[in-house]
Amino acid sequence: DGALAAATFSNVDSTTRGAWKGAYGADGSAIAVDSTNYPSYALVTVGGTAFPWTASTSDARALQKYAGANRIASTWYASNAYTIDVNVTDGKGHAVAIYCLDWDNLGRSERIDVLDVGSGRVLDSRTVSGFNWRLYLVWNIAGHVTFQVTPLSGNAVVSGIFFG
């Protein structure tokens, strides 16, 4: 892929909750068990197993479904580390937000490392815990990176990925 990989952490958003429309995903999104609408500039592969906690809810922590006004509480999970591979192919930097939700409030904690696929170098690392009420982690990325989601307590969970 040749492009220099980069990842700069932007912010943590704990106020938007599942209301991502208009806040995240202007370029594309993927919501576990619901939808996959990646932007043309990104090749994405999500590891982990998709699981629906509840397919329909009005709880504000659950992500808005891509189509319609309903919400879904779902995740990609693994008992060991798994990866979300993102290859940005247009040579530009783009915002990527990852939504973490401990829906069943099991006290999960996890670390998300952003790795340069070419060198394996860690570009950024964030530890999250106490996210039963919702948490977006936002980076600006370029090139080919992997988000490695490693469980520290419980299993590793990510509910959505949003571009732009």
Side-chain angles (χ1 to χ4, degrees), residues 10 44 56 68-69 77 88 91 100 103 118 133 161:
S10 175
V44 182
S56 177
Y77 78 95
V88 174
C100 301
W103 176 258
W133 279 101
I161 308 160

Side-chain angles (χ1 to χ4, degrees), residues 17-157:
R17 297 194 267 184
W20 63 272
K21 293 178 181 179
Y24 298 104
D27 293 349
S29 63
I31 298 168
V33 187
D34 178 59
S35 58
T36 302
N37 301 282
Y38 295 122
S40 60
Y41 59 75
L43 303 173
V44 182
T45 304
V46 178
T49 301
F51 177 77
W53 281 303
T54 184
S56 177
T57 182
S58 59
D59 190 312
R61 297 176 300 148
L63 287 169
Q64 293 168 315
K65 289 185 177 182
Y66 182 78
N70 206 348
R71 293 175 181 265
I72 184 169
S74 59
T75 190
W76 293 286
Y77 78 95
S79 56
N80 298 311
Y82 70 93
T83 61
I84 301 166
D85 187 90
V86 179
N87 188 1
V88 174
T89 59
D90 67 358
K92 299 176 184 174
H94 296 278
V96 174
I98 292 183
Y99 188 66
C100 301
L101 173 63
D102 184 4
W103 176 258
D104 42 11
N105 199 17
L106 296 178
R108 291 179 176 92
S109 65
E110 61 193 32
R111 187 181 69 244
I112 300 178
D113 297 314
V114 187
L115 308 171
D116 176 335
V117 169
S119 69
R121 185 171 56 96
V122 177
L123 302 172
D124 191 68
S125 183
R126 301 288 154 176
T127 299
V128 294
S129 61
F131 53 97
N132 61 304
W133 279 101
R134 77 278 171 215
L135 189 70
Y136 292 89
L137 299 172
V138 185
W139 289 267
N140 290 307
I141 67 164
H144 193 176
V145 302
T146 296
F147 295 89
Q148 182 170 296
V149 186
T150 303
L152 302 175
S153 175
N155 52 11
V157 293

Side-chain angles (χ1 to χ4, degrees), residues 5-29:
T8 304
F9 186 72
S10 175
N11 67 297
V12 173
D13 174 355
S14 60
T15 58
T16 302
R17 297 194 267 184
W20 63 272
K21 293 178 181 179
Y24 298 104
D27 293 349
S29 63

